[in-house]
Amino acid sequence: MSGIPMYKATPYYKLDDLNNIELPKCMYKMKNVHKEREDGPQSVQRGSSSGSQALDALEQRQENILRELDALQAEVAAMMQHLPASVKQQGSATASGATCGQAQLEGPVRDIVINASPSSPPLSLFILYELLKQQFRCFGSVHVHSSVENVPEGLCKCLGNGIRSDLRNRTDFQLAITLIWKDVKPSPQMMMSAAYQTPIHGESNVARYLGRILQPSYDAQDPVTATEIDTWVDMAGTQVLLGNNKERAASLRSLNSRLGKHDWLVGSGLTLADMVMWSALHQTGQAAGVPANVKRWMQACNDQPAFQSALKLTQS
C-alpha cells in the first residue's frame, strides 16, 4: 500500500557527482619539527648552548651537595671521637638494630592487654616485666574484673605501675601493659591489637611475645638454641601446667635429668625456658617436692632479683 510522504528532503548530493568529491588526505596538518627553523641553523645552535649551560649548572649543584655531605660526615666522625664509650656502643647498636640483639621500640606506645586468673597467676609475666623495665619506659596497670572476687593485695599491685617521676604523659612511654584479673580458663589471654581483637592464648605464648620484645634477634642468632628453648617452654605450658599427673611426673624426670648435667635448661645462662618452667612448677604446687637437681636449679632462679619480686607476689 502506497502512502503519502510526510515531507520531502533535498538530496545532499547527486549520484552523478560522486566522482567529483574531493576526499581529505589527512585529518589535520602539523608543522614538521624535524626541519630547520625558518630563521636558520644559528637558532638551533643557540638552543643547544642554553641547554648545555643548564646541564652544567645542575652538575655543579650536585657536586656542591656531595662536598657538603662529605664535610658533614667528617664532622660527625670527629664528634664521635670525643664521646664516651657507652654512648658509642649505644649508637652502634641503634644503627645495626636487631642484628646485635639490642631491643628497639619505635613509633607510638605499644599497648598490651592480658587477662589472667588470680588462682593461677602467670609468674613469668612478672619476671619479664621487671626485665622490660630495665630496657624500656614501661607503664603497667592492674584491674579486677567483676567475674572474680578476693584478689590478693599483692596481685593487685603486681606491676607496680612502673611509672618514673620524669615521665608524665602516656606518650612518654614505649610499652604499656594492662593486666586484668578475670575468670579465664584454662590459661591467660593476651590482646596486642585493639583493631583486630585477636587473642593469644597461653602463658607460654605470652612469654614468647614479651621475650622477643626483650631480644628481637631471639630466633635469628642461633636457631638451634631457639628451638631448644621452645621445646622446654612447650613442655611447661602443656605437660606441666595443663597435663595430668602422669605427664607432670614425666616432665619432672626429664627436667631433673637435664639439670643433672647443666646449670640451666638451655645454654650457660638464664633463658625464657627457665622463666616459664619455674612459673609452671610454682603454679602447680610442685616446687616444694622436686628432686635434688631441680631443687638446686630453682634456688638459682630464686636468687635472681626478678624472680624474687615475682615470688613475693605469691606470698603476700
Side-chain angles (χ1 to χ4, degrees):
M1 183 179 73
S2 60
I4 302 173
M6 296 180 61
Y7 56 86
K8 291 183 179 181
T10 304
Y12 180 72
Y13 54 86
K14 295 180 180 180
L15 295 178
D16 298 338
D17 297 336
L18 286 177
N19 297 328
N20 299 326
I21 297 177
E22 184 178 357
L23 298 176
K25 296 180 180 179
C26 62
M27 296 180 63
Y28 56 87
K29 292 183 178 181
M30 181 177 178
K31 184 179 178 181
N32 191 345
V33 297
H34 298 287
K35 293 184 179 180
E36 293 184 355
R37 299 182 182 178
E38 296 179 356
D39 52 356
Q42 295 182 354
S43 62
V44 179
Q45 295 177 359
R46 287 196 297 269
S48 301
S49 177
S50 61
S52 177
Q53 292 177 358
L55 183 60
D56 292 341
L58 182 60
E59 292 178 352
Q60 185 63 34
R61 180 183 177 187
Q62 183 179 6
E63 292 178 359
N64 294 336
I65 293 175
L66 293 176
R67 280 196 296 268
E68 292 177 0
L69 289 175
D70 291 339
L72 182 60
Q73 185 177 5
E75 184 178 353
V76 172
M79 293 175 60
M80 288 292 293
Q81 298 297 328
H82 302 285
L83 292 177
S86 59
V87 178
K88 292 180 182 179
Q89 294 175 357
Q90 182 178 3
S92 175
T94 303
S96 57
T99 304
C100 13
Q102 178 68 30
Q104 299 290 331
L105 280 182
E106 299 179 355
V109 59
R110 184 177 299 188
D111 275 296
I112 299 173
V113 179
I114 300 175
N115 298 322
S117 174
S119 61
S120 183
L123 301 181
S124 62
L125 167 63
F126 309 143
I127 298 172
L128 287 166
Y129 184 70
E130 292 297 322
L131 299 177
L132 286 167
K133 287 195 299 182
Q134 298 175 12
Q135 294 196 31
F136 305 108
R137 301 186 302 273
C138 296
F139 172 81
S141 59
V142 182
H143 305 273
V144 178
H145 193 263
S146 59
S147 60
V148 297
E149 298 179 357
N150 301 325
V151 178
E153 183 179 357
L155 296 182
C156 292
K157 301 178 180 179
C158 57
L159 299 186
N161 285 336
I163 299 178
R164 287 164 37 180
S165 59
D166 57 334
L167 301 175
R168 299 296 181 184
N169 299 323
R170 186 178 180 83
T171 55
D172 294 333
F173 298 97
Q174 297 172 291
L175 183 65
I177 298 180
T178 302
L179 175 61
I180 303 177
W181 293 117
K182 187 177 180 180
D183 185 16
V184 290
K185 295 178 180 179
S187 57
Q189 300 174 353
M190 180 179 70
M191 304 286 292
M192 62 179 194
S193 174
Y196 297 102
Q197 293 292 309
T198 303
I200 295 177
H201 296 273
E203 180 180 352
S204 300
N205 294 323
V206 174
R208 283 191 179 99
Y209 179 79
L210 297 177
R212 281 161 173 79
I213 295 179
L214 275 172
Q215 188 179 7
S217 59
Y218 167 81
D219 299 290
Q221 282 188 339
D222 189 350
V224 176
T225 300
T227 303
E228 292 179 358
I229 293 175
D230 284 335
T231 300
W232 288 105
V233 170
D234 286 336
M235 180 184 293
T238 56
Q239 299 183 26
V240 179
L241 277 175
L242 303 178
N244 53 35
N245 292 334
K246 185 177 180 180
E247 291 173 332
R248 290 177 178 176
S251 300
L252 203 58
R253 287 194 297 270
S254 299
L255 188 64
N256 189 60
S257 175
R258 171 69 180 181
L259 295 173
K261 302 177 182 178
H262 303 83
D263 294 333
W264 304 96
L265 290 181
V266 180
S268 58
L270 181 69
T271 64
L272 189 67
D274 301 288
M275 302 177 194
V276 179
M277 184 63 74
W278 180 88
S279 172
L281 292 176
H282 274 282
Q283 292 182 58
T284 55
Q286 301 181 74
V290 294
N293 295 331
V294 181
K295 185 176 182 180
R296 174 179 50 79
W297 165 77
M298 294 199 70
Q299 184 59 47
C301 292
N302 294 339
D303 292 339
Q304 305 294 322
F307 285 78
Q308 294 175 5
S309 300
L311 198 57
K312 290 179 181 178
L313 298 174
T314 61
Q315 300 172 350
S316 59

